Amino acid sequence: MTALGFVVLAVAGALVRAEAAQRFNAPTWPWGTLGVNVAGSFALGLLAGSGNPVMTAVGVGALGSLTTLSAFAVELTTLGRRRAAAYLAVSLALGLAAAAGGLAVSD
């Protein structure tokens, strides 16, 4: 049952990420990917702090596919050096802050 939940949630996360990228990414800045990465970091922080065993299926399945590194990496290569550096810095800062916020809220 856990494996089925993992697969279903992974597919759902991937579809949400793809839709967000399709709707909100601009040629000059990938807003959709940034948004799902920050939201996913917050949600994973919440789950990690809760100690809930469902975290495996939800955290790794849905959030893992929602916040995929491959989309982030491809976008970095298409932005040019300065924008890529800014996007990397903003993504790391917001992602870490969101994860810390999720952990703090879950306590």
Side-chain angles (χ1 to χ4, degrees), residues 52-90:
N52 189 331
V54 174
M55 184 186 159
T56 300
V58 174
V60 176
L63 300 176
S65 65
L66 177 70
T67 61
T68 182
L69 180 63
S70 59
F72 177 69
V74 167
E75 289 161 353
L76 281 173
T77 65
T78 64
L79 290 175
R81 286 185 180 169
R82 287 190 180 166
R83 279 198 185 112
Y87 181 53
L88 177 62
V90 167

Side-chain angles (χ1 to χ4, degrees), residues 34-46 91-105:
L34 179 63
V36 297
N37 284 344
V38 171
S41 295
F42 178 79
L44 193 54
L46 278 174
S91 293
L92 287 173
L94 292 179
L96 289 171
L103 280 168
V105 169

